[in-house]
Structures are given as structure tokens and as C-alpha cells.
Amino acid sequence: MGRKDIIKITGMTCASCAARIDKRLGRMEGIKSSSVNLASEKASVEFDESIISLDNIMDAVKKLGYGAEVFAEKNKDREREKEIKKLRALFLSSVVLSSPLLLGMVVMLLGIKIPFLHNPVFQLIVTTPVQFIIGARFYKNAYNALKSGGSNMDVLVAVGTTAAYFFSIYNGFFNPAQSGMEKELYFEAAAVIITLILLGKYLEAVAKGKTSEAIKKLMGLQAKKARVIRDGNETDIPIEDVAVGDTIVVRPGEKIPVDGQIVEGSSSIDESMLTGESIPVEKKAGDIVVGASINKFGTFRFNATKVGKDTVLSQIIKLVEDAQGSKAPIQKIADKVSGVFVPIVISVAIITFFIKFFILGEASTAVISAVSILVIACPCALGLATPTAIMVGTGKGAENGILIKGGEYLETAYKLDAVVLDKTGTITNGQPEVTDVLILDKYDRDEILKLASIAEKNSEHPLGAAIYEKGRKALQRVDNPEKFEAVPGKGVTAEYEDKLIFIGTRKLMEEKGIDTSIIEDSITGLEKEGKTAMLMAVNGKMEALIAVADTVKESSKKAIKSLLDMDIEVYMITGDNKRTADAIAGQVGITNVLAEVLPENKAEEIEKLKKQGKIVAMVGDGINDAPALAASDIGMAIGTGTDVAMEASDITLMRGDLMSIPDAIGLSRKTMSKIKQNLFWAFIYNIIGIPIAALGLLNPMIAGGAMAFSSVSVVTNSLSLKRYEVKLNVKP
């Protein structure tokens, strides 16, 4: 039986750690997939419970030398604060002890002599606690890494600083070739390197905490209490105690505690927490309300339909958490490099040492060069480059009603060059109205409306619903058909009393052997106006023509223009005939029209575009268009509130307008830009730094500072995404 869990992992210090854990989990029988995220310090694992248990998985992680426990959201902030406080205390202690050593180096460079600062005994006394007490974490993590057959950042730091420390002891106390103030001591290098790395770790921990602020904001939206009616009395209870079926009272200004359906009253509700849309939505009896949205004006009662983890907000939080823990394909580059990086660096350091020590006879230079190589080559920045940007990017999207399921979809959206838009409910409002009723023969208008509304009463198609609604309003009461059958993409057939009724397209009439030539001119005229002509036959004879029109969404034209400005081809796909489809497409600026496409054939049209080499996004309602959404490179479900089908899409657009599409693509492009910047600087930093260190041109302390701040700079660059405004972006 399949199960998915999140494990909290402690002790990871760089990309090599994450890569080693991921590799180990990937080899375990029963684990279907795993993703280890250095930035969030979590592992998402999908496994077969009949083969392996969660305890077995955590034991495997622990055997590698890392901590592992079931992830608990409520403990996350407390643990992070604890770690930050610990790092701050270690850093400040290290500063106090390292400062005299640094001061001694500075005054020596200025030609000032302060004997006790340069005394080997004094330097040994202040360096030892930094090296072995404050720096104990590096030794512990290095030991665990080596014990499990791997290596990581801590191995580099431990080896490098230990070499500087013991070489200084040798020169200061045992090397007869050195005496007095001329002794070459590198205690300050060892101590200051550890101090700078701890500073980097502290700043990195603070910055990483900010990458997941989107989750905190979403969780903070939840109401704490609900006013329920039990035994005829209104009682305030904790939100955790609300049960499905409870009747809840909401007054003006209050948060709606859970999802439900209004049974009494009406109001304007601010759903911006879901959609990013600030305009309140009018709600009345029968309408759905969503937990954490805000009641603006009226008082109403509603029945709870979803509570706890089943609410829309809880599903959004889970989706964002999963996305933030996922990997983008581009991260594979960093994973592959980091997996072999540390052993290569150690080899380079050893070779450099041997050349300078044994061939050139430069003992001090050999040690300093090797230490500098080991210290500057930390792969931390590589490991943080992708996940931090994904965490911030997906969080930013969630805050603006754009729910991206994972890093792979974020990266694919960046590459999109074609977007296919479903017409009804996507380009248009999806609420068509009857505009014309053309009577042909024996029935009058009321009789036609009566028969048409009876035939369409059970139809789920928006056009059928429009006909039914027109009849219901005109006649007040609509009988049920005796028989009903929906013919997908063509229309409906129904029986009522002694009448067999067909309503639909030309194709339906052709299949039923009904001549439509008498009304061809009328059909053409209506279709040129952008109206959909529904043909109606009774007992095998054409009797009426009912025209239905769906209004175009306000934002459609602007959104389509912005997509075209982003060099993305836009297609409209619809079951409407070519003439009507062209009329609608012309209103919004679309030139590529796929008309008369049955629902089951939409996926084929997507495949045709993909075979042309296009990276295709399909945008639909997420339910009727499920096959096409699945066939596309990126499936986008567009809708509002609980109407969206999150499971049917890769990206869910909570706002009802098409501007969400360029917004989502713009965000993906900006996020991928940050990832590429991060990877570039992470690689270039090592490509430049290691040769300089090998040549002996880099002081180990400068190497330590550069290494520490490289990781901080990557996280800071990712955090700059928070300032990105989700709005029309016409350039990548």
C-alpha cells in the first residue's frame, strides 16, 4: 500500500549530505521516490508500506550519521529558533576568543610588536577551545560522513583547520628552524575560519527561515474558534472541535472557520486569501463558503461540509509544502557535481601539498595552499541554489492564488511556447444566455421553451444549462424528461410524453437523419455574431433554432495579448463550429483556432502540437478537460475557490481571470532566472577560487569568509524573489 511521508533531517551541512541521503533512500527496496531538500531540511518519501516501514527509512538515514524524525509542522519554528540561538552563542564565543589572534595579525602587518599576542602559548590557549569545543560540530559531522563512506563540507573544514592548527603547534614548539617572533603560526587562520563559517551558518539559518514564510502566512489565516449552534444555543468552540454537519454562525468582520454551504442569510466575502483577488464576492443561501475567508458585511449561517485537513486552505498548505520540498530537473546538475565534488577537492589539496612540500620544498606555502583549497571549496552554495529559489517562488505564487505543484512544473512553465485555452469557462464566463429563439413550424415559443428546458434539465453542459434556465424563468416549473441521454460534444436526446426531442449540433441532426437545410442561412447569420446555434428537432422534424451566447471575460483580451507579447503562441480549443469559434477568437485576438473538437479528442490536438516540438500548456476547468490537461506538458486549472480541481492540474490558478496565466509563467521565468544566477555564482566561485588557492595566493581566512558568504549570498538572492510583483510581465 502506497504512503507518502515527510521526514525532518538534522545534521545536513551541504549538497553532498543531501545527495548521499537521497542516493541511499533511492536504493532501498520499497521506496518509490524520494526528494531530500537541504534548504528545508526535509525528505519527502513515497514508499510501499507492505515492503518497508517509516522506521526502517529513518534508521537508514540515522546510520548515515544524520538525525531523522517524523516532521511536525508545529515544532518547526521552535526548533529553528533553538538552532539559531545555538549558532549565535557559538559564533559570539568564537568571536571573543578569535579577536586577539586577528588583532595580533593586523598589528604585525602594521609593524607593531605586541609580544604576548604573538606568543605561541597564548595563541594555543585561545585557539584550542575554538578548534575543539566550538568547532566540535565540524568534527562530529565529518566523522559521521566518513564513517558512512562519504564526505561533505565538514570534512573539508575539519581537515583544513586541523592542518593549520597542528602545523602551528609544530612551528611554535618543535621546529628548530624557527625561533622567537619569526615563528610562522597559523592559529589565527584556524580560529578565524571557524568563526567566519559559524557566522555564515548563523546568517544562512536566519535567511532559510524566511524562505518558508508563505506556509506561516497561510497557517496564520486559519480561524481559532467557531460559533456553532448546538442544542439550540450558540457556543464558541475551538476550530479543531468543529464536525461535518455543524451549523455555524458568522457575523460581519469574522473569519469563516471551515468550508461549508450557506443555509440562511447572505453577505459579501473577501476570498483574497485564496484567489489574490481583493474584490469581495457576493454569497447567498446555497452558495459555498471557504474557511479562512473573511465575512465583510452580512450575518449568515452555514453547514460545515469540510473540516480539518479536508478544507481548501489545508489542501493548499499541503500542496505548497509538497512543492517547496520538490526538486526541479535543473537541480540534477548540482546533485551530480556535489556527489563527487568533495573527494575531488581533497585530491587537489593533497596534490598541491605534495608538489609544494616535496618538490618545491615550501612547507609553509604547502600547508596554507592546501588549507585554502579545502576551506574555499565548500559546496554549500550549490546545494542551496535551487531549493531556496523554489521555496520562495512557490510561496510567492501561493500568496497570489497561483498554486504550483512542484519544482518540475515551475521549470516546465518557464519553457512554455504554446498555450491552449478552452473556450467555455476559460476565455468566456461560462454562463451563456439564450439570445434568440427561431420558430420553424407547428410549436409556438412557449411550447418550444417548455420542451427544450425539459430536454436540457439534466444536462451538465453550460449551453444546456442556459436553455433550461431560460425555460425555468419563463415557465416557473419544468417537468422531468421520461428518458435522457447526453451525447458528448453533440447535444442531448430526451423523451417527454409522446415526443422524442433532439437538441444539439448539425452533427447530431445528421446522425439522426434530420434535414437542416431549411435553417442553414439562419445558423450562418447567428454564428457570424459569435452565437452558438442549438438545433432542435421533435419527432424527427426540425422545429426550432435556439441561439446561445457566452460573454467573454473582461481580462481575456488583455491576458492573451500579454501571452503573445511573451512570445507564446495562443490557441483556442472548442467544440463549437468553426464560424462561431472564429467569431469569439476574433474578439480576444486569437488567430489559432481548433474548432469542432469533441471532449475526447482534445488530448489528440494537444499531442499534435507537442509533435511539432512545442512545449504546451492546456488551460481548462480541471474536470471536463482532464484528458487534455494530462496530455499537455503543463495542465493549468483555472477557477475560483472550491470550484478548482487541484488534483487535475500541475498549476492551479485560483483567480477566475486569464491574467493568472501570464502571471504564472512570469513567476516561473523569474524563479528560473534566480536559480540560474545562483548556480552560476556557485560554480564560478569554485572555478575561480580553487586555482587561486592552489597557487598560494589566497589567505585561508579570506577563503573561510568567502565560503561562508557564498551560501548567504545564494539564499539572499533567492529571497529577493519576495519583492517580485505578480502582475503583467511581457518580457522574460
Side-chain angles (χ1 to χ4, degrees):
M1 183 178 175
R3 175 176 166 184
K4 192 171 184 179
D5 268 300
I6 296 176
I7 301 171
K8 172 71 176 173
I9 298 179
T10 55
M12 290 192 295
T13 57
C14 66
S16 296
C17 298
R20 187 160 64 258
I21 297 169
D22 219 355
K23 189 175 181 180
R24 177 71 184 93
L25 295 178
R27 288 176 174 173
M28 294 180 73
E29 187 181 357
I31 294 183
K32 298 176 181 177
S33 66
S34 66
S35 176
V36 181
N37 191 314
L38 174 65
S40 63
E41 299 175 330
K42 293 189 293 189
S44 177
V45 186
E46 187 177 354
F47 59 98
D48 188 336
E49 284 185 289
S50 64
I51 300 174
I52 192 170
S53 70
L54 186 60
D55 287 338
N56 295 146
I57 296 170
M58 291 193 291
D59 285 342
V61 175
K62 289 173 184 175
K63 284 178 181 176
L64 291 175
Y66 303 95
E69 59 186 50
V70 178
F71 175 73
E73 182 68 41
K74 63 181 179 180
N75 298 329
K76 186 174 69 172
D77 290 341
R78 187 168 64 250
E79 288 173 359
R80 182 180 289 116
E81 282 302 315
K82 186 178 176 182
E83 176 66 11
I84 288 172
K85 285 180 181 178
K86 182 179 178 182
L87 284 169
R88 187 191 300 126
L90 288 172
F91 166 66
L92 292 176
S93 301
S94 195
V95 166
V96 171
L97 292 168
S98 303
S99 295
L101 299 171
L102 191 59
L103 177 62
M105 186 188 73
V106 171
V107 298
M108 184 175 67
L109 292 173
L110 296 174
I112 302 169
K113 294 185 178 181
I114 304 177
F116 86 91
L117 288 178
H118 303 100
N119 185 290
V121 175
F122 171 75
Q123 291 200 4
L124 178 64
I125 290 170
V126 295
T127 302
T128 300
V130 175
Q131 185 72 42
F132 298 109
I133 299 176
I134 295 171
R137 61 191 289 130
F138 300 113
Y139 286 101
K140 179 185 175 184
N141 292 336
Y143 169 75
N144 287 330
L146 293 171
K147 185 179 70 172
S148 62
S151 54
N152 61 8
M153 176 204 91
D154 295 302
V155 173
L156 299 179
V157 174
V159 172
T161 57
T162 302
Y165 177 84
F166 283 106
F167 185 63
S168 298
I169 290 177
Y170 171 73
N171 276 350
F173 300 100
F174 303 105
N175 189 353
Q178 297 197 355
S179 61
M181 294 294 294
E182 302 304 318
K183 293 179 184 291
E184 293 184 6
L185 304 177
Y186 300 102
F187 286 118
E188 80 280 350
V192 172
I193 285 169
I194 288 174
T195 303
L196 288 171
I197 292 172
L198 285 173
L199 173 61
K201 284 290 174 190
Y202 169 68
L203 295 174
E204 183 186 309
V206 172
K208 277 160 65 176
K210 294 178 181 177
T211 60
S212 57
E213 280 182 359
I215 296 287
K216 288 187 209 168
K217 286 182 181 177
L218 288 169
M219 295 189 74
L221 292 171
Q222 292 174 321
K224 301 295 184 288
K225 291 189 175 183
R227 186 176 295 111
V228 302
I229 299 176
R230 289 182 178 172
D231 300 324
N233 298 315
E234 291 185 12
T235 309
D236 287 345
I237 63 171
I239 191 171
E240 296 82 8
D241 295 339
V242 177
V244 172
D246 276 341
T247 299
I248 301 168
V249 180
V250 184
R251 295 194 172 93
E254 294 180 343
K255 279 186 180 178
I256 297 169
V258 295
D259 298 358
Q261 186 173 30
I262 296 177
V263 293
E264 183 183 322
S266 61
S267 184
S268 295
I269 295 175
D270 178 0
E271 293 184 338
S272 58
M273 46 70 65
L274 279 177
T275 66
E277 180 60 61
S278 59
I279 300 173
V281 182
E282 298 299 321
K283 300 279 186 176
K284 61 184 184 304
D287 288 340
I288 299 297
V289 292
V290 182
S293 53
I294 299 171
N295 181 29
K296 301 294 285 185
F297 304 116
T299 297
F300 62 89
R301 296 183 179 190
F302 74 95
N303 286 339
T305 56
K306 291 180 181 179
V307 300
K309 62 180 177 58
D310 296 324
T311 64
V312 170
L313 180 62
S314 294
Q315 290 176 41
I316 290 173
I317 290 171
K318 185 179 185 305
L319 188 149
V320 176
E321 282 179 338
D322 290 346
Q324 291 189 338
S326 67
K327 287 185 179 182
I330 196 171
Q331 191 172 337
K332 290 178 182 177
I333 300 170
D335 288 347
K336 286 180 180 178
V337 171
S338 61
V340 298
F341 190 76
V342 175
I344 289 173
V345 168
I346 291 174
S347 301
V348 171
I350 291 171
I351 292 168
T352 301
F353 177 82
F354 269 86
I355 290 172
K356 294 198 172 185
F357 188 87
F358 292 106
I359 298 176
L360 302 178
E362 300 173 358
S364 295
T365 307
V367 172
I368 294 306
S369 296
V371 170
S372 296
I373 291 170
L374 291 171
V375 171
I376 199 169
C378 166
C380 287
L382 269 179
L384 294 168
T386 303
T388 52
I390 288 175
M391 287 175 75
V392 178
T394 52
K396 186 71 178 178
E399 291 172 14
N400 290 274
I402 300 168
L403 304 181
I404 303 167
K405 277 193 173 178
E408 63 270 38
Y409 308 118
L410 195 70
E411 183 171 338
T412 304
Y414 154 80
K415 300 174 184 174
L416 287 174
D417 51 24
V419 171
V420 180
L421 303 173
D422 182 48
K423 179 182 79 75
T424 305
T426 303
I427 293 174
T428 64
N429 285 301
Q431 295 177 329
E433 295 180 355
V434 173
T435 58
D436 303 86
V437 179
L438 177 62
I439 309 301
L440 298 182
D441 194 11
K442 83 190 250 194
Y443 298 99
D444 62 24
R445 180 184 172 89
D446 286 346
E447 288 175 313
I448 287 294
L449 281 177
K450 176 184 175 182
L451 294 175
S453 58
I454 288 171
E456 296 283 12
K457 186 172 183 178
N458 296 324
S459 174
E460 293 181 358
H461 195 282
L463 299 180
I467 293 173
Y468 165 71
E469 193 62 26
K470 180 74 172 178
R472 187 186 66 79
K473 288 178 180 177
L475 307 169
Q476 300 303 316
R477 180 176 175 273
V478 177
D479 292 338
N480 292 315
E482 292 159 10
K483 287 186 180 179
F484 170 83
E485 181 187 355
V487 185
K490 297 174 185 176
V492 299
T493 68
E495 290 183 25
Y496 176 71
E497 294 180 346
D498 58 346
K499 299 175 182 66
L500 177 60
I501 308 163
F502 302 140
I503 302 180
T505 63
R506 287 187 187 86
K507 285 184 180 179
L508 179 65
M509 298 303 158
E510 287 170 8
E511 286 181 4
K512 302 301 180 183
I514 297 170
D515 182 19
T516 61
S517 59
I518 190 173
I519 53 169
E520 281 300 329
D521 290 343
S522 299
I523 294 172
T524 301
L526 291 168
E527 289 174 347
K528 283 181 178 177
E529 295 174 18
K531 298 173 181 177
T532 299
M534 305 285 283
L535 286 63
M536 179 176 173
V538 180
N539 290 336
K541 184 181 178 185
M542 284 297 307
E543 294 291 354
L545 186 63
I546 303 173
V548 181
D550 189 2
T551 55
V552 171
K553 288 180 181 176
E554 234 177 273
S555 62
S556 293
K557 188 172 183 178
K558 182 181 177 184
I560 288 161
K561 182 182 184 304
S562 73
L563 288 170
L564 295 172
D565 288 341
M566 294 169 82
D567 296 322
I568 294 173
E569 292 183 35
V570 182
Y571 294 77
M572 184 180 84
I573 192 165
T574 178
D576 279 349
N577 64 76
K578 188 77 165 66
R579 200 176 291 114
T580 302
D582 285 340
I584 297 294
Q587 292 178 38
V588 294
I590 294 177
T591 55
N592 300 309
V593 180
L594 305 172
E596 299 179 29
V597 181
L598 297 175
E600 62 268 26
N601 296 333
K602 287 183 180 179
E604 293 176 16
E605 296 296 330
I606 299 295
E607 291 293 350
K608 287 178 186 176
L609 292 174
K610 287 170 68 176
K611 285 177 182 175
Q612 295 173 26
K614 300 183 191 300
I615 308 297
V616 184
M618 169 68 194
V619 186
D621 64 9
I623 301 171
N624 298 331
D625 300 309
L629 288 166
S632 62
D633 295 293
I634 287 288
M636 295 188 184
I638 190 164
T640 54
T642 54
D643 295 330
V644 295
M646 294 183 209
E647 293 302 318
S649 61
D650 305 316
I651 298 177
T652 302
L653 308 171
M654 304 295 284
R655 300 204 308 267
D657 65 82
L658 263 63
M659 279 307 300
S660 298
I661 303 168
D663 283 348
I665 297 171
L667 178 62
S668 75
R669 289 182 174 185
K670 191 68 177 178
T671 305
M672 287 302 299
S673 171
K674 291 294 180 186
I675 289 173
K676 289 182 177 182
Q677 289 169 18
N678 289 346
L679 287 173
F680 171 79
W681 288 113
F683 278 118
I684 205 73
Y685 157 82
N686 285 302
I687 289 168
I688 294 172
I690 292 174
I692 292 175
L695 292 170
L697 302 175
L698 192 64
N699 184 290
M701 288 184 290
I702 296 173
M707 185 274 281
F709 285 101
S710 67
S711 300
V712 177
S713 65
V714 163
V715 179
T716 304
N717 188 45
S718 295
L719 284 172
S720 67
L721 265 173
K722 285 177 172 288
R723 297 194 297 271
Y724 176 71
E725 302 243 346
V726 176
K727 58 184 180 181
L728 173 61
N729 288 281
V730 297
K731 295 294 178 188

